[in-house]
Amino acid sequence: MNVAAQGKRANAHDWKGPREPRPVTRSYLLNAAQSYLQRYASSRANLERILVRKARMRGKDTFFLPETRELIAEVLDALERMQLLDDKAFAAGRAGTLKRKGASAALARRTLAAKGVECETAAVAVAALDIRDGEQAMITARRLKLGPWRRTDPGPPFTPSEMGKLQRRGFSGAAIREAIRLWEDEADHP
């Protein structure tokens, strides 16, 4: 059996050993942040987590240096000055998307908090949209094909398991009853 078939190199001089970690520089972090922001909207805290992860992957030793954290903070401040990073605009846009998808106000606030948006900013963004949980529960039920929108026998408006699905998405019992009332009004006046 030849050496190459065993998984070893034919020439031992070809192998150079593990690569040296590359330094984490300001330009590397700025390019990584701008590349991410070209594809996705982000909050400051979320982008900071991403840059920390990139710095950790880039250089294990340089990640733990205090200068690395300072560089990340400096890059984030520069992006805010360039108006490429704005938590209020991100929260408003993401809350609008969540409203269109039928998310409850509670779920919208939790989702924004998970992305690193401050509680007050998230609350203001959700309140500005005037999300009515009854209407949102109806949108969600229609999208998930629950209750009157299920594909099989319509039966009761919502089964207990379907109500559980809606409650796990942040809707209260009152919101679900409001969705049923809205559906009945819609059925009476097509």
Side-chain angles (χ1 to χ4, degrees):
M1 179 177 254
N2 66 14
V3 177
Q6 293 177 358
K8 297 180 182 176
R9 297 187 187 277
N11 187 353
H13 298 289
D14 290 345
W15 189 68
K16 296 177 183 161
R19 265 193 334 188
E20 289 292 318
R22 292 178 287 178
V24 177
T25 62
R26 183 182 191 281
S27 64
Y28 167 73
L29 291 172
L30 189 60
N31 288 338
Q34 287 176 333
S35 174
Y36 184 83
L37 290 174
Q38 284 176 352
R39 290 176 284 156
Y40 310 104
S42 183
S43 66
R44 181 184 172 104
N46 186 54
L47 188 59
E48 182 177 7
R49 283 192 294 259
I50 290 165
L51 292 178
V52 164
R53 186 175 64 235
K54 286 191 168 290
R56 186 179 300 135
M57 290 182 344
R58 180 86 184 246
K60 301 276 187 220
D61 298 333
T62 58
F63 169 70
F64 293 104
L65 296 175
E67 294 86 30
T68 304
R69 288 288 184 169
E70 291 172 9
L71 280 175
I72 291 172
E74 183 181 317
V75 165
L76 293 172
D77 291 340
L79 290 170
E80 283 181 340
R81 283 191 305 273
M82 290 187 276
Q83 298 178 348
L84 295 175
L85 192 61
D86 184 8
D87 280 359
K88 290 178 184 176
F90 170 74
R94 185 73 178 131
T97 300
L98 292 168
K99 181 180 180 181
R100 286 187 298 279
K101 287 184 175 182
S104 66
L107 180 63
R109 284 191 300 271
R110 282 195 314 257
T111 302
L112 290 172
K115 285 294 185 181
V117 177
E118 293 180 4
C119 292
E120 299 85 28
T121 307
V124 168
V126 171
L129 293 175
D130 191 30
I131 294 177
R132 292 187 173 85
D133 279 350
E135 293 172 5
Q136 296 302 102
M138 194 169 95
I139 292 169
T140 300
R142 184 180 297 139
R143 190 169 55 88
L144 296 176
K145 309 249 186 286
L146 303 176
W149 296 279
R150 71 177 77 91
R151 292 185 179 126
T152 59
D153 175 39
F158 288 103
T159 63
S161 68
E162 291 172 338
M163 290 180 78
K165 284 181 183 180
L166 290 173
Q167 287 174 340
R168 284 188 293 278
R169 292 190 186 308
F171 296 106
S172 65
I176 296 169
R177 287 189 296 276
E178 176 70 14
I180 293 169
R181 188 189 63 73
L182 289 170
W183 168 72
E184 289 170 347
D185 289 348
E186 190 177 271
D188 290 342
H189 302 85

